[in-house]
Structure formats: C-alpha cells, structure tokens
Amino acid sequence: MVPILEHTPAELRDWFVQQGLPGYRAGQVRKWLFQKRAATFDEMTDLATELRKQLSEQFQIWTTHVAQHRQAADGTEKLLLQLHDGEQIECVLLRDDKQHCTVCISTQVGCAMGCAFCATGLDGAIRNLTTGEILEQILQLQRLLGPPGKMGTGPEPSRTGARMTSSGEVPVPILPERLSHVVVMGMGEPLLNLDALLPALAAATSRDGLGISVRRITISTVGLPASIRRLAQANCQYHLAVSLHAAEDALRNELVPANRGFGIAAVLAAADEYFQLTGRRVTFEYVLLAGVNDQAEHARQLTRLLRGRPALVNLIPYNPVPGLPYRTPSPAATAQFVEILTAGGLNVNIRHRKGDRISAACGQLRRGERGTGD
Ligand code: SAH
Ligand code: SF4
C-alpha cells in the first residue's frame, strides 16, 4: 500500500485522473486529511462509497503508530512515534495561553552533528525521514487538539477558551485550538534533509493543506552554510534560526563539531545572504551552559559578532540531559548575559522552558524513552 502523504498534490490528482475520475477529488481528499482531520477514508463522507473503498485498498493514511503519549501540566504533549521500520522519533505540541498551538517536528532519526550538549546527537543519525513521515507528525499532533468549532458547556474557563454563561449550563462555542506555528526543531538537522522537508512544509502552508502562514514556520539549523544558501535561493520565506552557541571558533568547534568544517564567519555570511534574499530576519540560538559559554566575556564576544545585524538572539538555558556534564546557569547569570547583549544593542529573547518534565524541551528529544522522567 502507498502512503498517501508521500504524494504531492499533482501526483494525487494524476492518480484520480488515471482512474477516470475528476482531478478535483484529490483536493477533497486533501481537505479531509489536513483540515477535517480524518483518520480513515471511511470518514470522507462526501466521496462515493465505492471510491472510499478504492482509496483504502490503494493507500494508507498512517505509517506510524503512537508508541507513547505524554502530557505535562503546562499543556505540552509529546508523542513517541514508531515508524514502519521500527525506528522511533518524537514530536511535541506546545500550547500558548491563547488558542495558538505550535508543533515541534523532527526531520531525522537521530542526528549526525554530535553537538556536545544535545540528547538527539548522542546516538548518531540512523536515517532521514520521508516527506510523509514529517507531515504525519503534524497530523498526529493536530489530532490532539479539540475538534474545530465544537459546542460545549465547559465547566471552567479552560485553556481551549470554553466560557461559562452566568447559569453555567447553556452551551457556548468553545474557541477551537488552532495549529498556528510549526518549528522544525525536533530530532535531526533539517538542512540535511531539505528534499523531504520542503514538500512537507509546502503541504503545511498550502491553502488546501494546513494553511499555516509561511511566516509562522521556523527552521532551526546547526548552521550549514551551503544549505542555508540553498534555502535562501528557494526563497520560501520561512523563518531561519541558526544555532550558534559560541562567538569564537575554538569554543564553537568544541560544542558544535560540525563548525570545524566551515567556521563561524561562513555561517554568518550565509545567514546574511538569507536575510538579503528573503528579507527575513535571522534568529541566532544560543544554549547557555553554566561556566562554559555564559560568562560576561562570552556575552561581549557575541555582542561584537552580531552588532549591526538585524538579528534576534534566542537564549536557551540548558535543558539537562542525563549523562552529560553540563549545568543550567543560575537566573542571575542568565540575567547578566541578557543585560550585556541588550546594552550592546542586540534584540534578545529567553526561550521559556516547556515540557521539560516529560523530556520534551529543546535538546531532550531522543529515539527511545530514555530522557529524564517525571
Ligand atoms: N538540529 C537543529 C534543530 C534541532 S535542535 C539545530 O541544531 O538547530 C533545536 C535547538 O535545541 C537547537 O538550537 C539546539 O542547539 C538546542 N538544544 C540542543 N540540546 C539542548 C539542550 N540540552 N538544552 C537546550 N537546548 C538544546
Ligand atoms: Fe543535531 Fe541540532 Fe542536536 Fe546538534 S543540536 S546534535 S544539530 S539535533
């Protein structure tokens, strides 16, 4: 059976035409998959019974199954998905305090980049994910959201927006949770799998797909200059985040071994080109490791390096990974780091830690369930 999510819209249309059916039926099927969250062809009730049967004989919707589902008190949910070949990947649903939801998705089983502080890199890279496997993570996570536009009598004002009337009994519309952002920050190095990633993101952003704005898609990379250029030339307007972690080569070589092949100057030149070609401001991520890269001197180096660039610095206090020697800086050390960058004129964000109790925070994703437990 063919996984239907591996097909481009044009390929799916061709299949319908080959069956002697109108090509627009492909759009109807895609709408069911992406917007109406159908889990089976049988649910696609505006298609003839015979066609639904034909589709289910020819195609499969799901190639993964949920091996584990964990939920944190802050609304973060993490799925461990088992792939058809037995490999496992993780993906995460993050909720903000309104109705907006972000999915964090993986692009590879493991990662070959071997960054010193990252759980994913500990076991190396096994393989790239396919377009369908990347999309399936988004659809599996989307199914965790409340159904679109549901009516209910929510007993309390919940994070999904249920509001009680004064009597507390009259049904009121629950504002639906909406998948609004995608961050490609899960397992793997996305720029080493662009051939599979770009069609998946095209489906996520197209109108008959998930309809997510291109500006709400972030691709996070270890900073591979040639691939950043390729992405810039594709001019798809996604938000690019470059994981920097150090402002001088000796330290970056140690923390991010891939840096030895090209150096920081080449990473920044490629990031500048990304901005020039797309007009999109690049974010630089910086994991703060106590005593390693979080000192005042490091902050000053980073300020000198990035000053004058239309950049945003995203500081990520280290999320502990069992077996690794690093420590999270104290709030005071983090505050001092922020202060130096801000005084130097940089725009700075601190990434709030979400889902760390279920090992769903940045850098805590790995193939098995061996991260920090509850
Ligand atoms: N491979 C890509 C995307 C996945 S990693 C990249 O490196 O950018 C996503 C982010 O999590 C990166 O910025 C990465 O540096 C960060 N990260 C990795 N391990 C971490 C840890 N233990 N604590 C905090 N952030 C971590
Ligand atoms: Fe790979 Fe990113 Fe982890 Fe580095 S931080 S090992 S590039 S997943």
Side-chain angles (χ1 to χ4, degrees):
M1 283 226 276
V2 184
I4 197 162
L5 295 175
E6 301 294 356
H7 275 327
T8 62
E11 286 165 350
L12 199 57
R13 211 167 29 245
D14 287 350
W15 183 84
F16 276 89
V17 172
Q18 277 159 21
Q19 311 302 309
L21 295 164
Y24 70 80
R25 293 264 180 240
Q28 269 176 292
V29 170
R30 282 169 59 80
K31 214 169 201 160
W32 274 107
L33 290 172
F34 292 113
Q35 293 167 19
K36 300 196 219 168
R37 307 181 196 172
T40 63
F41 291 110
D42 257 357
E43 290 167 43
M44 304 183 180
T45 44
D46 56 0
L47 303 179
T49 318
E50 184 52 33
L51 174 56
R52 282 186 259 161
K53 187 163 164 274
Q54 213 178 334
L55 283 166
S56 49
E57 282 164 3
Q58 182 77 24
F59 296 110
Q60 63 184 128
I61 299 178
W62 308 106
T63 65
T64 69
H65 82 265
V66 178
Q68 192 180 58
H69 176 194
R70 301 182 81 186
Q71 291 174 274
D74 63 10
T76 302
E77 299 188 48
K78 181 173 81 166
L79 295 180
L80 179 69
L81 296 181
Q82 173 120 6
L83 308 179
H84 69 88
D85 58 0
E87 294 295 346
Q88 293 184 329
I89 52 164
E90 294 183 321
C91 54
V92 180
L93 174 73
L94 300 133
R95 294 183 156 95
D96 72 10
D97 43 10
K98 300 182 213 91
Q99 284 76 44
H100 293 144
C101 296
T102 298
V103 293
C104 175
I105 55 170
S106 297
T107 52
Q108 298 183 307
V109 182
C111 183
M113 298 294 97
C115 301
F117 45 81
C118 173
T120 304
L122 289 178
D123 307 317
I126 306 296
R127 70 169 172 89
N128 280 338
L129 298 181
T130 64
T131 297
E133 287 167 336
I134 294 171
L135 269 178
E136 216 173 305
Q137 296 170 65
I138 307 181
L139 297 190
Q140 293 273 23
L141 291 165
Q142 185 177 234
R143 287 166 57 73
L144 303 178
L145 305 180
K150 195 182 149 200
M151 298 291 282
T153 51
E156 59 186 53
S158 77
R159 56 179 158 65
T160 54
R163 272 183 218 99
M164 263 206 316
T165 57
S166 50
S167 72
E169 281 162 6
V170 183
V172 291
I174 297 176
L175 292 178
E177 287 188 308
R178 214 165 50 78
L179 201 170
S180 56
H181 293 76
V182 175
V183 295
V184 188
M185 289 191 187
M187 298 165 61
E189 170 46 46
L191 299 196
L192 289 179
N193 193 14
L194 276 178
D195 288 342
L197 177 63
L198 292 180
L201 293 182
T205 52
S206 76
R207 277 186 56 201
D208 73 338
L210 288 159
I212 298 169
S213 156
V214 282
R215 305 183 80 81
R216 292 177 166 184
I217 307 264
T218 301
I219 302 177
S220 174
T221 174
V222 72
L224 306 171
S227 306
I228 291 177
R229 288 210 167 82
R230 181 180 157 199
L231 193 61
Q233 270 142 20
N235 197 8
C236 19
Q237 291 284 307
Y238 300 130
H239 184 163
L240 183 71
V242 174
S243 297
L244 201 57
H245 312 315
E248 50 96 28
D249 277 320
L251 183 57
R252 191 164 197 265
N253 287 346
E254 208 181 289
L255 298 176
V256 182
N259 190 62
R260 293 172 198 158
F262 37 80
I264 292 174
V267 177
L268 289 186
D272 289 345
E273 192 171 322
Y274 191 88
F275 174 70
Q276 280 149 17
L277 286 178
T278 64
R280 304 253 18 220
R281 209 163 64 137
V282 175
T283 295
F284 291 94
E285 293 164 288
Y286 193 103
V287 173
L288 284 170
L289 306 165
V292 176
N293 68 352
D294 70 333
Q295 304 297 295
E297 182 48 29
H298 300 117
R300 283 192 285 271
Q301 284 171 356
L302 187 60
T303 307
R304 281 195 295 275
L305 189 72
L306 297 182
R307 201 174 0 225
R309 288 189 157 81
L312 179 75
V313 178
N314 208 338
L315 296 176
I316 317 171
Y318 171 65
N319 292 314
V321 175
L324 295 186
Y326 300 103
R327 286 174 301 110
T328 311
S330 66
T334 303
Q336 175 192 264
F337 203 91
V338 172
E339 207 178 296
I340 295 172
L341 299 190
T342 312
L346 300 185
N347 298 305
V348 187
N349 245 340
I350 302 185
R351 185 173 302 161
H352 298 296
R353 184 184 291 198
K354 282 194 169 173
D356 60 326
R357 297 276 298 150
I358 55 169
S359 302
C362 287
Q364 291 183 317
L365 302 183
R366 58 194 302 186
R367 283 190 287 139
E369 191 40 47
R370 283 164 295 167
T372 50
D374 279 354

